Amino acid sequence: MTAPLEARSLSLMREGNAVLDDVSFSVAEGEIFALLGGNGAGKSSTLLTFLGFLRPSAGEVLVEGRSVHANVAAARSSIAYLPEAASLYGHMTAYENLEYFLDLAGRKATRSDLDSAFERVALAEEARSRRLQSYSKGMRQKTAIALALLRETPILLLDEPTSGLDPVAIDEFHDLVKALASSGQTILMVTHDVYGACQVADRVGLLRRGKLVGSFAAEPGRRIDTETVHAAFAEREAA
Amino acid sequence: MLRSLTRELRFLRRDRGALFWLALAFALSVIAVSFGIAEVREQRATIATLVEEDAADRANALSTQQDWGGAAYYAFHLTYEPPSDFAFAAVGQRDTAPWKHRIKMLALEGQIHEADTRNADFGLVGRFDFAFLTASLAPLLLILLLYDLRASERTARRHDLLVATVGSPRSLWLPRATLRVLGLAILLLIPLWVGAMIEGASPGVVLQASAIVIGALLVWWLIVELVSRIDASPSVLLTSLIGLWLALAIVVPAISKAAIEAANPVPDGGEILLLQRETVNDAWDLPKDDTMEPFVEQYPEWREDSVIDEGFEWKWYYAFQQVGDQTVAPLARQYREARLERDRDAGLVSLLSPTSFVERAFEKLARTDAMAMVAYEDRIRDFHEDLRRFHYALIFPKVEYDAARLEDLPQYDPSR
């Protein structure tokens, strides 16, 4: 069966430096794969390669079995992307932002669809008609998550998705991500939050200086052990 | 595409910055067209007043005359170049070249050039009219509307989300930019169209003018598009684009103007005037044959009547006026040719500057360019020649004075 997301011997050079070096992994349908790494590990570059913004210097990335760079637009249409500290339009309300971005994606949503998404991300009703320039960072992130939900794509790419969220919102977000995966959505998230990754992911990959240096999978009925991953992460970073 | 345009129209309606620049474009266009209409109306009113006063003045002067020479001497004749129906959009050379002259039967070239103290010139950047707005300011507005379409999204860290969501970047940036360019074009053109209707400009001219505006905006759009693809901050892009605008709108025209002037020296109008006056004044002291011989070379039909018997005869007087023109003819021809040569060179150089190109194209449409003003001077010469032939036929054969025959005096017709 074709994996919705696959990196095959992916290497990426930028300005003479190896950003990714022979990275291979795949993410199965309905799976949550978290790439863990410190600053400059190549996490965001991996996501941007799947989105077609960066072209591999060797290897390839595939979305639903098709090479991303053979048809970037097709790959993007299968992916909802939540960037780190997603900056939506401050001069527009949450409703207007979602309507605009959904229109960009070629989708239409009713007001009740939007409200339903806002309720899932726990964005207060009174805030939805306010301009985003008055929002906290967490509220903006919730709006962006609502957008990702409404895209209803088979694949979700999350870049530091809990950045700016309070602990309660992080727990709610993790529940939401798990629910999305249960409904068949394939999720690739990159983060440096070891605890969050272990709590939500089915598999965790350790990325260090562009290399995939370790991988941990959850046992049936159990989450990945945070201590083990943390120790491995710290050890690799210290090496 | 229609769906993308509708989406971006809704987006644009919420973009206060873009709306401000578009509103400013509309306001400037209204002002430019209003200024233009006011200016041409004032010129038309001036001409109407002068035509009326000129006729009355001439009738008054002629009513007291007793001979043909006096009638020719005391009667002034107004010549003028009325503004075209589209002149409101480009006042052009009418600011620097005279568009009205009152002439009389004396030597002509001095009368044409006496108002010229600094040479009528081609204007590369003119007054605040629609042509100036379109040529010089509209590119700036376009730059302000487009320069940071991508860069501002990058700065706001929204670029990747936008592109990842839309799939193909072209589906986002093309409609977003198209709408701004289209909006700018329409808001610039609406006042022009209204002005053209008020002034009764021909639809063909308005169509051509609209095409020029759209063409100019498309050229600048291309320039902005190429520059804004550079991965730089909005401020760097804006600085680069303003620099390009300065180069293409100010520096290139200014350097070209200086080079063209140096390459095509135009004699000073004052030189023509002075030489002609000296020739005419000197003629009083010269043997009459020295005047009459060159005169009959030009008008051999009056050879038999060119003998001067008395101390003063009008035909001698008008002959030395004629010879005054003959003397300065090479200088006047050089003046005319150099102006046309400068204009031709400026036309070639304008291919390097969209600003100059647009300004010249508008002046051509409005018939306010250097060619139109030279053509007006040629019409004055033709009319003056008609006057000479009319009066010579009465003065030289010594026809008995009959004021009624002055009703056949040639009338200046600006449309001829």
Side-chain angles (χ1 to χ4, degrees), chain B residues 50-375:
Chain B
L50 288 176
V51 165
E52 205 172 299
E53 288 178 358
D54 177 67
D57 189 43
R58 189 166 49 250
N60 185 45
L62 292 175
S63 66
T64 58
Q65 300 310 314
Q66 302 297 320
D67 57 30
W68 297 120
Y73 184 84
Y74 289 103
F76 277 93
H77 303 267
L78 176 70
T79 70
Y80 54 94
E81 174 70 356
S84 73
D85 294 337
F86 195 64
F88 74 91
V91 177
Q93 302 290 313
R94 295 180 74 86
D95 270 342
T96 52
W99 45 267
K100 59 186 189 311
H101 282 288
R102 281 188 91 203
I103 59 163
K104 57 198 293 191
M105 260 290 289
L106 305 182
L108 176 66
E109 292 301 332
Q111 297 182 70
I112 289 179
H113 293 101
E114 69 186 344
D116 170 39
T117 51
R118 58 178 184 86
N119 291 338
D121 217 336
F122 60 90
L124 289 168
V125 178
R127 67 159 65 205
F128 187 73
D129 54 16
F130 188 82
F132 175 76
L133 172 65
T134 303
S136 300
L137 298 186
L140 271 180
L141 292 167
L142 190 84
I143 287 169
L144 292 165
L145 280 166
L146 297 184
Y147 81 97
D148 68 344
L149 276 193
R150 288 184 184 80
S152 64
E153 299 294 9
R154 279 192 213 106
T155 306
R157 304 181 70 181
R158 201 163 33 229
H159 178 273
D160 291 351
L161 175 62
L162 281 166
V163 175
T165 306
V166 77
S168 163
R170 178 182 283 265
S171 309
L172 173 64
W173 307 122
L174 185 63
R176 196 174 273 195
T178 301
L179 215 60
R180 281 159 173 73
V181 177
L182 201 66
L184 181 61
I186 289 171
L187 290 169
L188 286 173
L189 284 171
I190 286 173
L192 180 78
W193 293 335
V194 172
M197 275 195 290
I198 293 170
E199 287 293 297
S202 87
V205 167
V206 177
L207 205 64
Q208 288 178 67
S210 305
I212 292 167
V213 173
I214 292 166
L217 292 179
L218 288 177
V219 168
W220 280 102
W221 183 9
L222 180 68
I223 292 169
V224 176
E225 180 65 23
L226 291 175
V227 172
S228 63
R229 279 167 188 256
I230 300 166
D231 191 2
S233 70
S235 57
V236 170
L237 292 178
L238 182 60
T239 309
S240 308
L241 284 164
I242 297 285
L244 259 177
W245 174 83
L246 270 174
L248 293 176
I250 309 289
V251 178
V252 169
I255 292 173
S256 309
K257 185 171 188 253
I260 290 168
E261 284 178 357
N264 301 287
V266 174
D268 195 82
E271 282 177 48
I272 297 173
L273 179 64
L274 199 63
L275 177 61
Q276 186 171 70
R277 283 193 180 159
E278 282 171 357
T279 307
V280 169
N281 290 339
D282 289 352
W284 289 101
D285 305 322
L286 292 173
K288 293 188 173 65
D289 283 350
D290 285 7
T291 297
M292 298 315 289
E293 279 171 18
F295 174 82
V296 295
E297 277 175 28
Q298 186 83 13
Y299 293 96
E301 64 268 38
W302 306 120
R303 182 177 297 278
E304 299 302 317
D305 300 301
S306 66
V307 179
I308 309 298
D309 302 321
E310 300 167 34
F312 175 85
E313 289 189 44
W314 280 113
K315 57 187 175 185
W316 171 58
Y317 180 78
Y318 288 113
F320 65 67
Q321 297 292 337
Q322 172 75 47
V323 172
D325 272 342
Q326 288 171 215
T327 309
V328 298
L331 208 53
R333 203 162 35 246
Q334 191 190 341
Y335 183 96
R336 181 182 184 281
E337 291 306 318
R339 282 173 68 195
L340 291 175
E341 194 59 42
R342 281 183 176 189
D343 188 56
R344 275 190 289 273
D345 288 354
L348 285 175
V349 171
S350 74
L351 296 174
L352 300 174
S353 162
T355 303
S356 300
F357 186 86
V358 169
E359 194 112 24
R360 287 178 57 81
F362 260 89
E363 287 177 11
K364 193 175 168 71
L365 275 183
R367 298 203 307 273
T368 55
D369 57 352
M371 300 284 277
M373 302 324 285
V374 170

Side-chain angles (χ1 to χ4, degrees), chain A residues 85-238:
Chain A
S87 175
L88 301 178
Y89 287 104
H91 66 280
M92 298 199 306
T93 68
Y95 284 124
E96 289 167 347
N97 263 294
L98 262 53
E99 280 163 355
Y100 178 73
F101 276 90
L102 287 171
D103 206 348
L104 271 183
R107 292 184 60 86
K108 284 277 175 208
T110 63
R111 187 51 71 101
S112 106
D113 292 336
L114 301 183
D115 280 326
S116 161
F118 285 135
E119 273 156 29
R120 287 179 77 185
V121 299
L123 184 73
E125 194 172 350
E126 58 80 28
R128 297 171 198 168
S129 299
R130 284 205 334 252
R131 289 184 179 161
L132 263 63
Q133 59 205 18
S134 67
Y135 276 24
S136 67
K137 193 176 175 187
M139 289 166 79
R140 288 182 197 189
Q141 194 72 351
K142 284 179 178 178
T143 311
I145 296 165
L147 169 64
L149 294 178
L150 284 161
R151 290 281 312 278
E152 294 181 336
T153 54
I155 299 164
L156 191 54
L157 301 187
L158 309 172
D159 191 352
E160 305 285 2
T162 52
S163 164
L165 296 183
D166 59 46
V168 175
I170 288 174
D171 286 343
E172 287 170 354
F173 177 72
H174 286 159
D175 291 343
L176 184 63
V177 169
K178 284 184 225 168
L180 291 172
S182 303
S183 66
Q185 209 161 11
T186 302
I187 297 167
L188 170 61
M189 62 187 282
V190 301
T191 180
H192 57 256
D193 174 12
V194 177
Y195 175 79
C198 293
Q199 195 179 41
V200 74
D202 298 309
R203 242 173 349 120
V204 168
L206 285 186
L207 203 57
R208 182 173 180 275
R209 293 185 188 168
K211 282 181 177 292
L212 197 55
V213 292
S215 184
F216 305 87
E219 299 291 326
R222 294 180 62 189
R223 300 311 315 163
I224 300 169
D225 180 56
T226 308
E227 293 304 320
T228 308
V229 176
H230 191 272
F233 183 73
E235 182 189 336
R236 299 288 183 184
E237 287 299 308

